[in-house]
Amino acid sequence: MIGRPPGEPRRVAYLFLLPAFLVYAAFLLYPIGRAVHLSLYDWDGLSLGRWVGLANYAAIVADERLRAAFGHALVLMAFYALAPLAIGLTLAAILNHAKVRGLGFFRTVVFLPQVVAMVVVAVAWRRVYAPDGTLNDLLGAVGLDSLTRGWLGDYTFALPAVGVVGTWFETGLVTVLLLAGMSRIPTELYEAARLDGAGALREFFAVTLPSVRGEIAVALTLTVIAALRTFDLVYITTRGGPGDSTSVPSYEVYHRAFGLGQVGSAAAIGVTLTVAIFAISFVINRFADRGVS
Amino acid sequence: MIASTRKGWPRNMRHARTRAALAAGLVALAASACAPGSSAPPAASSAQPSASAVRTDAAALGNVTLTIWDQEVRGGQNAQMKQLNAAFEAKYPNIKLKRVSRSFDDLNTTLRLALSSNEPPDVVQANNGRPQMGAFVKAGHLRPLDAYADAYGWKKRYPRSVLQYVSYSADGKVFGKGNLYGMPQVGEVVGILYNAAKLTKLGLQPPKTWEEFQTALAKAKAAGEVPMQLGNLDKWPGIHVFGTVQGRHVPADQITTLAFGRKGASWTTPENTKAAEQIVDWVDKGYFNKGFNGQGYDPAWQAFGKGEGVFLIGGTWLITDLEKSMGKNLGFILPPGTTQAAAPVATGGTGLPFAITAKSPNPDAAAAYIDFIANADAMKVLTTNGLLPIADTDQQSVKAGSQQDMFTAFGTVTKQDGLVPYLDYATPTFADTLGAAVQDLLAKKSTPQEFLATLEKDYQSFAESNE
């Protein structure tokens, strides 16, 4: 009895896991399974569904508009994940290195966008981008009148304009995460680097960057998922326009399920999106793990 | 040996086992659960009661509770609803009303589930178009109201061009003809709003012909004014501008066929091309405000209210709010025809119609309620609350100004059956297709020919599959 490892025999261990598993199954596994199930039907949400097999998935590949939506999500990833990471690393390194007085205050300021609901953020930025909005006023004030335009209605700039809102929103989160990671780096490491004659830049690449690898993985995972599931921002600012130039998969899911009554197609897009998010998070964490071990 | 390699399952084998288990689970799920929405369809209400079988004496129906879902949540809409409901309950103490009021968007997204449940509300406000009312009719969730219409005389009071918006064939395929599935309270028409002070300053009168309208636009431009406000960021406002121009070039019956998504018309005609070319010409001449595709709908009409812009193509729903800021300077006309004597053609329709669900156990009481909120007395209540009643419009008295303009315009256009449906009714996806296509056209991302080809593709493929 005493020599038995904890959790043995297995039957007993599974019994302990059962309550949690039931909750998990009821609220997560069942809905996912149901979504997969629905995605195999042509269903309007009202009358009897018609079995169509993988046709809804084939449509995602065949439909130019849906392919474009997934492409837009990729572009948004650069704005949501890569740009905040670059800015966040710089900002956090400076804040950490300089041992700024009132660090808590700055941390609060950069984190502030995260506290505001995305819908509010979107409404505010819509005004910023309006033809008579703040951005154009600023451009006009410095003599760049030729650049003014209705940003969200411009075919070239609408998607980047939406992306910049994402950058603004996510940078604070990334910075705070990285700052936390950097503050845990033992000062001895920096001292050793300095004794070896490393400058500030060298120090950053040799000590700081490898030490926050885990935090970078967390930040990337969070922001990439945020980019892929962007909905509210697009819904409020452009509704996918002008034309279809800012439509994203999550918006299509909502639009098809509740607007057009194409529930099966919406479920198929949702499932595809879920798989994509899983795959990308998996890859990111694979890279982070390799660094740690 | 350590527990992790217990029983010697190689790593990849264990993975295979998990995968097999997962797959088995999915298959079981797919097999055990039947097709979605398979709950027995509601007893087909094809057997319509005749007018004589309908009981119109609501007081004699015994104790009944009616559940009503509406979206009349704002200002005058909410006020009239409360007033009428209270009056109904006072007149028929045996009928209790349970009102559930939600915003337009919330109602739209929840109605589907509610209707397919076992105990749906008795009366619901369902949007006229194919994705809503059409889909509900097709699934057998709404009750045809023709017998009630005969008993209560609705078809005599309501203009034909209004009734078509609540008519579907019993299978939900044909829109605009067939059974009656709902009764609206208020009307809408898209026309031209103008700033009277600015017109006077330009030395102009409100335009009486389409030619005069275009001259006025040119004069406004030359005088350095914004000739026309447009905020097309939300995708749909441009549809109304195109619809208005289309009404000047394309015969009304063709527009109606196209907008109801019926077979027998085409987008790629010389008339439609002319309409598309004209709207592009307006862009070229700078008749719209700068950056209109990036301007929101609300900021655009609010800017018009503040005195930026001479004209605004918009619906009667804007008038109450604009009057607050513009007062006597606000004017409203129907889109003028090619000649002064031309029959009026304008995009327009109804507020959300009230329908009776197929599973409601009290259809007679529900119909009595609908008649009560849409009869001649109710129309007076609507008027005093600042709304545009859909019937008896010319019998209402309102003070001179933009509200009277609106009553006159709607009375004129419905009396001559000149209302043409919203173009986005055509197919379940047409709001999207057309909204994006108009943005493309106005931004000169597509030519008028490409624009019409896009619309033709959506329209024809639907019209064919729907037969």
Side-chain angles (χ1 to χ4, degrees):
Chain A
M1 200 61 177
I2 289 182
R4 186 183 285 171
E8 291 290 344
R10 278 290 162 97
R11 273 174 290 126
V12 182
Y14 284 134
L15 216 59
F16 280 120
L17 291 179
L18 194 63
F21 177 78
L22 283 181
V23 173
Y24 183 71
F27 291 100
L28 210 85
L29 295 184
Y30 174 72
I32 288 180
R34 181 77 177 149
V36 173
H37 177 213
L38 287 181
S39 71
L40 303 175
Y41 285 85
D42 177 15
W43 187 42
D44 62 2
L46 288 165
S47 39
L48 192 63
R50 192 166 56 84
W51 172 268
V52 292
L54 295 176
N56 283 327
Y57 291 95
I60 296 178
V61 185
D63 188 339
E64 196 182 335
R65 182 178 163 175
L66 280 176
R67 277 208 312 266
F70 278 92
H72 297 152
L74 284 181
V75 175
L76 285 186
M77 266 166 60
F79 282 98
Y80 268 72
L82 300 184
L85 185 66
I87 302 171
L89 268 175
T90 319
L91 222 57
I94 293 171
L95 285 175
N96 188 49
H97 197 73
K99 298 281 175 253
V100 189
R101 189 185 283 256
L103 182 63
F105 173 73
F106 286 110
R107 221 166 22 200
T108 313
V109 169
V110 292
F111 194 69
L112 219 51
Q114 285 283 324
V115 184
V116 186
M118 198 46 145
V119 175
V120 181
V121 170
V123 171
W125 277 88
R126 203 172 129 130
R127 292 302 303 151
V128 171
Y129 284 135
D132 52 355
T134 326
L135 181 58
N136 285 333
D137 285 351
L138 275 175
L139 287 172
V142 295
L144 292 172
D145 279 307
S146 56
L147 292 182
T148 61
R149 65 194 72 227
W151 293 91
L152 293 171
D154 189 287
Y155 283 76
T156 318
F157 290 102
L159 190 59
V162 170
V164 165
V165 182
T167 309
W168 179 82
F169 188 77
E170 300 292 349
T171 298
L173 173 78
V174 175
T175 310
V176 170
L177 265 174
L178 292 174
L179 255 180
M182 287 179 190
S183 67
R184 276 191 291 99
I185 303 173
T187 37
E188 291 82 24
L189 280 178
Y190 286 110
E191 280 163 14
R194 220 158 295 160
L195 281 178
D196 287 342
L201 208 61
R202 190 72 195 275
E203 214 176 87
F204 175 76
F205 283 108
V207 180
T208 314
L209 202 54
S211 310
V212 293
R213 206 165 172 141
E215 280 78 7
I216 290 179
V218 172
L220 275 181
T221 312
L222 289 176
T223 51
V224 162
I225 291 175
L228 286 171
R229 65 182 172 87
T230 306
F231 167 74
D232 25 22
L233 192 54
V234 166
Y235 180 73
I236 303 273
T237 53
T238 62
R239 298 223 160 206
D244 295 322
S245 57
T246 57
S247 73
V248 287
S250 309
Y251 179 72
E252 290 292 328
V253 172
Y254 166 82
H255 185 60
R256 277 164 197 251
F258 296 109
L260 306 177
Q262 301 173 353
V263 181
S265 168
I269 301 170
V271 170
T272 311
L273 191 60
T274 310
V275 171
I277 289 176
F278 262 121
I280 292 176
S281 325
F282 180 77
V283 169
I284 292 172
N285 286 300
R286 216 33 190 299
F287 274 109
D289 281 349
R290 198 181 296 165
V292 170
S293 59
Chain B
M1 265 292 175
I2 311 166
S4 76
T5 51
R6 200 171 70 102
K7 296 207 181 129
W9 283 102
R11 201 180 144 84
N12 55 349
M13 277 294 278
R14 267 188 297 144
H15 270 265
R17 214 162 62 124
T18 329
R19 244 176 291 153
L22 257 178
L26 282 180
V27 169
L29 191 84
S32 66
C34 39
S38 61
S39 62
S45 28
S46 52
Q48 283 194 48
S50 63
S52 55
V54 165
R55 292 183 297 165
T56 52
D57 183 9
L61 291 174
N63 283 335
V64 170
T65 302
L66 286 180
T67 306
I68 296 142
W69 279 26
D70 68 53
Q71 53 95 44
E72 309 293 335
V73 288
R74 277 189 295 183
Q77 295 179 325
N78 188 35
Q80 60 90 4
M81 206 76 237
K82 272 189 176 161
Q83 199 177 330
L84 289 174
N85 282 355
F88 182 81
E89 285 191 310
K91 189 172 176 194
Y92 303 110
N94 57 320
I95 302 180
K96 281 214 165 46
L97 300 180
K98 212 175 117 199
R99 181 180 177 209
V100 181
S101 203
R102 298 159 187 246
S103 77
F104 174 73
D105 281 334
D106 287 347
L107 189 78
N108 259 351
T109 44
T110 49
L111 206 49
R112 269 170 192 277
L113 283 174
L115 282 180
S116 41
S117 75
N118 284 329
E119 284 177 38
D122 300 281
V123 177
V124 297
Q125 246 183 319
N127 210 348
N128 316 51
R130 287 183 185 275
Q132 293 267 317
M133 187 178 259
F136 300 157
V137 170
K138 197 173 173 185
H141 288 317
L142 296 184
R143 187 180 288 267
L145 304 180
D146 297 81
Y148 296 109
D150 293 340
Y152 287 107
W154 292 340
K155 286 180 180 170
K156 278 185 219 116
R157 280 184 55 232
Y158 280 64
R160 192 170 48 86
S161 66
V162 164
L163 287 174
Q164 64 181 348
Y165 294 104
V166 282
S167 299
Y168 278 94
S169 62
D171 57 5
K173 282 185 173 176
V174 182
F175 185 9
K177 290 179 194 166
N179 300 329
L180 196 66
Y181 283 98
M183 286 295 285
Q185 279 187 301
V186 296
E188 299 171 349
V189 60
V190 177
I192 298 172
L193 295 140
Y194 61 88
N195 186 326
K198 295 217 172 217
L199 278 188
T200 315
K201 221 170 97 192
L202 291 167
L204 294 168
Q205 292 287 316
K208 293 203 174 57
T209 66
W210 191 242
E211 213 39 59
E212 276 180 42
F213 178 52
Q214 301 217 65
T215 315
L217 289 172
K219 273 208 173 148
K221 179 69 188 173
E225 295 277 358
V226 173
M228 202 180 331
Q229 272 290 349
L230 171 62
N232 201 25
L233 178 57
D234 305 81
K235 273 190 173 180
W236 58 267
I239 298 179
H240 294 334
V241 179
F242 178 73
T244 300
V245 178
Q246 190 194 25
R248 312 284 74 76
H249 296 279
V250 186
D253 57 331
Q254 274 184 40
I255 300 179
T256 304
T257 309
L258 286 172
F260 279 137
R262 296 189 202 130
K263 250 184 177 167
S266 164
W267 279 98
T268 50
T269 61
E271 291 87 0
N272 275 313
T273 314
K274 231 183 257 168
E277 279 167 359
Q278 180 153 77
I279 204 170
V280 173
D281 183 47
W282 286 3
V283 176
D284 289 338
K285 288 184 173 153
Y287 287 172
F288 296 109
N289 47 306
K290 195 182 171 217
F292 53 84
N293 261 345
Q295 177 68 289
Y297 175 68
D298 290 334
W301 67 256
Q302 282 156 3
F304 177 76
K306 284 180 209 145
E308 290 169 40
V310 183
F311 294 104
L312 171 73
I313 291 182
T316 42
W317 56 85
L318 288 174
I319 286 177
T320 321
D321 284 325
L322 280 174
E323 202 174 28
K324 278 178 199 144
S325 55
M326 295 175 73
K328 284 200 178 94
N329 280 335
L330 179 68
F332 180 81
I333 48 168
L334 288 173
T338 41
T339 65
Q340 220 169 312
V345 175
T347 308
T350 75
L352 264 62
F354 288 79
I356 304 179
T357 55
K359 283 185 200 156
S360 165
N362 311 301
D364 288 337
Y369 171 75
I370 291 180
D371 180 66
F372 190 84
I373 61 168
N375 64 19
D377 291 333
M379 294 297 150
K380 286 204 187 87
V381 175
L382 293 174
T383 308
T384 52
N385 280 294
L387 305 171
L388 172 61
I390 197 159
D392 313 323
T393 318
D394 48 1
Q395 288 160 36
Q396 315 295 326
S397 55
V398 285
K399 61 179 195 306
S402 51
Q403 212 195 355
Q404 200 179 54
D405 288 353
M406 161 170 98
F407 276 69
T408 314
F410 193 74
T412 309
V413 77
T414 48
K415 202 172 285 169
Q416 300 185 44
D417 280 323
L419 275 188
V420 291
Y422 292 108
L423 295 172
D424 51 282
Y425 282 168
T427 79
T429 52
F430 214 67
D432 255 17
T433 309
L434 180 59
V438 170
Q439 276 184 337
D440 286 345
L441 179 73
L442 293 181
K444 307 191 76 171
K445 276 266 157 186
S446 65
T447 64
Q449 287 74 21
E450 288 164 349
F451 165 73
L452 295 173
T454 309
L455 305 186
E456 181 78 357
K457 197 175 145 208
D458 189 336
Y459 164 74
Q460 292 296 2
S461 63
F462 172 77
E464 245 145 64
S465 72
N466 193 43
E467 285 305 308

